[in-house]
Amino acid sequence: LWIAANDPDRMIESNDGGANISFDGGKSFSTIMNQPTGQFYRVALDNDFPYHVYGAQQDNTTVETSSRGNSGSITESDWHDVGGGESGWIAPDPTNSRFVYAGSYDGLLTRYDHETGGLRDVNVWPDNPMGSGAEAMKYRFQWNFPLLFSPNDPKLLYAGANVLLGTRDEGHSWTVMSPDLTRNDKTRQTPSGGPLTKDITSVEYYDTIFALSESPVKKGLLWVGTDDGRVQLTTDDGGHWTNVTPKDLPEWGTVSMIDPSPHDAARAYLAVDRHKLDDIAPHAWKTTDAGKTWTSISAGLPPGAVVHVVREDPVRAGLLFAGTEIGMFVSFDDGAHWQSLQKNLPPSPIHDLLIKGDDLVVATHGRAFWILDNITPLRQAEATATADVALLMPQKALRLHYPDAVDSRHPVGQNPPAGAMIDYVLKSAPTSELTIDILDAQGHLMRHLSSTKTSKVIQPPEWPDQIVPSDLISARAGMNRLVWDLRMDDPAQIPGAFYSGSAPRGPLVPPGTYQVKLSVGGVTRTQSLEVVADPRVANAVPAIAEKTRLAVQVLQDIDALHKAVNGVRTARSDLAAAVKARPALAGKVRPVDAQLQALEEALMQVNMKGSEANLAFPGKLNEQYAGFAAALEDADTPPTRQHREMFQSLHTDLGVQLALWTRLQGGALADLQKQIAAR
């Protein structure tokens, strides 16, 4: 309980679920806990797009949430309970995430059906052992017992008790796949607690399997770690087992995680937690010969960094990530050296982590789930070590549709950046302009970006918290990241023009291969960038190609329209200045200015000055084009017949006005300008 020193009526009570606030001395507390303080034991991921993140949270439910939300953020509607309980592992079916298996204490194990909401009991041994010591159990299941699908056999689900169990029929029956793999020390299996009440919820059970994993590159090669300090290995799917515990590993520690290398079946990484033995030193190990010998890889981790998990990157061998009691660490040399990888992640215990594609997903104790989007720069760290200018190979960019604004009135999770992440490293800050150009496969310029010049005409935001866009890119020493929104260059803009939505902008580029070209100080670097369509949309690529062709025609028309308006306004301003200097010209200027005014008013609604002004002043060509361009960004589908007909109508009307502007420029306006210049 925290009480404000200057106001005793203001207090915050913290608990396993978060925090509750009182402003009246504790007479009433807030009931909604909206801080992201979830304590997740493990993290699991499925194979959906977007992929989902699963975990069991202390004193609460299990959770499944999307890694990105369709609304531009991850909201409460993206979170779901998937059975199980507060303490277990979760295993989504790798072939069909409709079904999710989730555990909890006392050996509870359920199978959840997303479609029906049904929850099926698939306990290995459906007995409720609450209040009994471990010695009375048929199988000793830890509070946080392992549960996972084989990476080599998607039908095989493993569960760890004191023995390893497996099912291939969705939990209808279980097979014992090992002898007791623990020390089976009976003196450590009696009820704990007392003297008034015992403390038996299964978190106190000992001599149990705590870590379990199978090599992703060799079927049947299984690693088991126990909470009493043993490491066991089978190479024949449980037929024979070998104790491969590191000889230098202090006894009785909890083997919290074993990570088989995704590159080499003989290599694995081991994390051991001995804090319950008053040992808060980091303990991490590596084997390259299937457990025959082990090497400590703890050097370089700071004191107090109790290691909960070490995982190797599936793309770059030797790139390791460690989750510890005091935060995240990374090693670029297979554990020989470590450095912090905290960035904006709040200091918190990291109890589990997984790598999905280019994302690093972590489960924290007290700060919920976090995702480090796009770790491709870490995989290319060697390329940046000595180069003065390095442009890194970008990851694939997803062409998705998101709203321009995100509702910030409620707590939400952040989506990954929308667009292509382009990373570049500068040894020192340049003294000249840095530019990045995006070109299509034919070499046509799609987007030009600069560190010193902006192409946008920025209108003041309508709302105080509205983000004002900018296309200036960073050019600071060290790592720089540009998030290209996948849009082509914007059309020319009309300064001061008001739109009910965003100002007209370049359309999204279609899927395909693009070239990124960075130029600074006479140095040029290039990389290839692939833009891909939303994998959830069938036949998206040809549909997008059709709509993009139409959108580019609209872009060209808007650009011509805006340049015409700007030209008309410049001409009218020049004529007004001439009359002010020489009032005798007013008679000659007035008829030409009237034609210019009529042209300007045909091209755009000059009275549009604020929100909902379109209710009083109908849109002209500029507003019609802006609305039409926005309508073409609806979905990855071909343009409708109405779209094509609407464009032809707008294009014809615009052609009439642009022809008038051309005639004015070559006729009456040109004659008048010559007369003014001659005087």
Side-chain angles (χ1 to χ4, degrees):
L1 181 68
W2 173 87
I3 303 174
N6 61 345
D7 182 2
D9 283 343
R10 187 160 55 93
M11 56 183 65
I12 302 175
E13 177 268 334
S14 64
N15 56 74
D16 278 346
N20 302 91
I21 302 171
S22 176
F23 294 99
D24 58 11
K27 295 183 179 68
S28 62
F29 280 86
S30 63
T31 56
I32 297 176
M33 294 182 242
N34 57 11
Q35 307 89 15
T37 55
Q39 175 180 327
F40 287 102
Y41 287 93
R42 305 286 181 177
V43 62
L45 308 171
D46 62 22
N47 295 320
D48 292 348
F49 179 84
Y51 66 87
H52 297 90
V53 184
Y54 301 79
Q57 49 181 340
Q58 171 64 35
D59 263 13
N60 214 316
T61 64
T62 54
V63 163
E64 171 206 349
T65 187
S66 180
S67 58
R68 69 172 77 218
N70 292 329
S71 62
S73 62
I74 304 165
T75 68
E76 190 175 353
S77 63
D78 295 307
W79 290 65
H80 310 282
D81 180 0
V82 289
E86 62 178 303
S87 64
W89 288 41
I90 298 177
D93 189 319
T95 61
N96 185 358
S97 64
R98 168 183 171 179
F99 303 106
V100 182
Y101 297 81
S104 192
Y105 55 85
D106 293 329
L108 175 68
L109 184 53
T110 63
R111 177 181 181 270
Y112 177 75
D113 184 340
H114 270 294
E115 192 165 304
T116 67
L119 198 63
R120 177 183 166 197
D121 182 340
V122 292
N123 284 15
V124 172
W125 191 249
D127 177 31
N128 186 344
M130 189 71 73
S132 299
E135 82 285 357
M137 305 302 300
K138 179 178 177 66
Y139 301 114
R140 295 188 300 275
F141 281 99
Q142 225 279 335
W143 169 271
N144 183 228
F145 70 86
L147 181 71
L148 78 157
F149 276 95
S150 164
N152 303 293
D153 180 356
K155 290 293 185 182
L156 177 55
L157 176 66
Y158 298 112
N162 57 308
V163 297
L164 179 66
L165 301 115
T167 178
R168 283 189 170 85
D169 57 10
E170 302 175 348
H172 183 72
S173 62
W174 290 88
T175 301
V176 176
M177 302 177 65
S178 77
D180 191 326
L181 297 175
T182 74
R183 295 177 186 269
N184 195 18
D185 185 340
K186 298 299 183 184
T187 65
R188 296 171 185 259
Q189 298 174 20
T190 56
S192 61
L196 297 181
T197 183
K198 293 180 180 178
D199 203 17
I200 304 296
T201 62
S202 85
V203 71
E204 305 82 10
Y205 290 174
Y206 207 53
D207 296 330
T208 66
I209 294 174
F210 199 85
L212 170 64
S213 54
E214 181 180 0
S215 169
V217 294
K218 185 175 180 181
K219 186 179 185 302
L221 195 157
L222 289 159
W223 297 86
V224 162
T226 68
D227 62 0
D228 54 16
R230 284 194 168 175
V231 181
Q232 307 272 14
L233 174 69
T234 177
T235 59
D236 56 5
D237 217 10
H240 302 84
W241 290 87
T242 304
N243 185 338
V244 293
T245 307
K247 292 181 174 58
D248 297 332
L249 178 65
E251 290 190 333
W252 303 108
T254 296
V255 179
S256 59
M257 190 67 73
I258 306 173
D259 184 53
S261 170
H263 305 281
D264 182 352
R267 193 161 78 241
Y269 301 88
L270 179 66
V272 178
D273 176 358
R274 301 186 77 253
H275 84 273
K276 289 185 286 187
L277 302 169
D278 289 335
D279 178 1
I280 59 170
H283 294 285
W285 305 77
K286 173 182 71 175
T287 181
T288 58
D289 54 12
K292 293 183 179 67
T293 60
W294 294 85
T295 303
S296 173
I297 55 172
S298 304
L301 291 171
V306 175
V307 184
H308 299 298
V309 56
V310 175
R311 294 205 189 275
E312 185 181 24
D313 181 51
V315 174
R316 187 196 147 185
L319 175 59
L320 306 183
F321 300 94
T324 78
E325 188 69 14
I326 60 174
M328 278 292 305
F329 293 86
V330 62
S331 172
F332 297 99
D333 52 12
D334 210 22
H337 302 86
W338 294 92
Q339 63 190 69
S340 175
L341 186 64
Q342 207 64 27
K343 295 181 68 64
N344 63 327
L345 176 66
S348 54
I350 310 296
H351 274 248
D352 198 7
L353 64 89
L354 288 173
I355 298 160
K356 183 72 174 180
D358 298 329
D359 294 349
L360 175 65
V361 186
V362 303
T364 77
H365 266 35
R367 291 289 191 168
F369 289 129
W370 284 71
I371 300 177
L372 180 59
D373 301 298
N374 188 10
I375 61 172
T376 57
L378 298 178
R379 294 168 175 161
Q380 303 172 66
E382 292 176 355
T384 68
T386 58
D388 291 337
V389 179
L391 175 63
L392 304 185
M393 173 67 75
Q395 68 173 167
K396 288 182 180 179
L398 285 163
R399 186 187 186 278
L400 303 175
H401 296 274
Y402 289 124
D404 293 324
V406 175
D407 186 353
S408 59
R409 295 172 298 175
H410 307 287
V412 295
Q414 290 179 303
N415 262 13
M421 286 176 267
I422 299 170
D423 296 292
Y424 49 103
V425 181
L426 308 174
K427 181 171 284 188
S428 59
T431 57
S432 58
E433 179 188 26
L434 182 149
T435 63
I436 290 181
D437 291 322
I438 315 292
L439 300 96
D440 67 9
Q442 289 73 43
H444 301 135
L445 180 65
M446 295 288 101
R447 189 71 175 269
H448 174 76
L449 297 160
S450 166
S451 64
T452 61
K453 302 170 186 173
T454 178
S455 61
K456 288 184 178 291
V457 177
I458 305 301
Q459 62 185 27
E462 185 178 2
W463 306 107
D465 60 348
Q466 183 177 339
I467 296 174
V468 177
S470 173
D471 60 356
L472 288 174
I473 58 177
S474 65
R476 59 180 180 272
M479 174 69 74
N480 295 265
R481 170 167 286 180
L482 159 67
V483 180
W484 172 41
D485 59 7
L486 301 183
R487 291 188 177 276
M488 303 177 192
D489 278 326
D490 292 341
Q493 299 294 326
I494 302 172
F498 183 88
Y499 302 91
S500 56
S502 60
R505 51 190 174 174
L508 293 169
V509 298
T513 301
Y514 295 83
Q515 184 186 75
V516 181
K517 183 171 75 172
L518 181 151
S519 302
V520 60
V523 176
T524 299
R525 298 284 185 266
T526 61
Q527 290 283 6
S528 178
L529 167 66
E530 186 176 357
V531 177
V532 297
D534 188 334
R536 297 167 294 185
V537 181
N539 302 314
V541 173
I544 293 171
E546 281 191 63
K547 191 169 279 184
T548 302
R549 282 192 287 271
L550 180 57
V552 168
Q553 291 178 292
V554 173
L555 170 69
Q556 293 167 344
D557 276 8
I558 291 175
D559 186 69
L561 188 157
H562 287 185
K563 288 176 178 176
V565 170
N566 292 336
V568 168
R569 289 184 170 182
T570 298
R572 295 190 69 195
S573 176
D574 291 345
L575 293 179
V579 170
K580 184 176 181 180
R582 286 175 283 173
L585 292 171
K588 293 180 178 292
V589 166
R590 192 175 298 114
V592 175
D593 184 66
Q595 294 181 68
L596 291 171
Q597 180 180 355
L599 176 58
E600 179 184 358
E601 292 177 352
L603 289 172
M604 72 173 296
Q605 177 50 264
V606 296
N607 297 305
M608 193 79 73
K609 303 297 183 183
S611 179
E612 299 187 359
N614 58 324
L615 300 179
F617 305 105
K620 297 300 180 69
L621 276 172
N622 183 49
E623 291 72 39
Q624 290 174 309
Y625 263 108
F628 182 59
L632 291 179
E633 297 195 355
D634 57 341
D636 295 339
T637 52
T640 64
R641 185 180 67 183
Q642 302 89 282
H643 285 144
R644 298 185 190 281
E645 291 176 354
M646 179 66 179
F647 171 71
Q648 287 303 323
S649 175
L650 290 173
H651 184 71
T652 299
D653 292 345
L654 176 63
V656 171
Q657 301 304 321
L658 293 181
L660 288 174
W661 172 229
T662 300
R663 286 198 294 272
L664 266 173
Q665 287 178 295
L669 177 60
D671 293 341
L672 180 58
Q673 289 171 332
K674 289 177 182 177
Q675 294 177 42
I676 294 173
R679 292 182 178 234

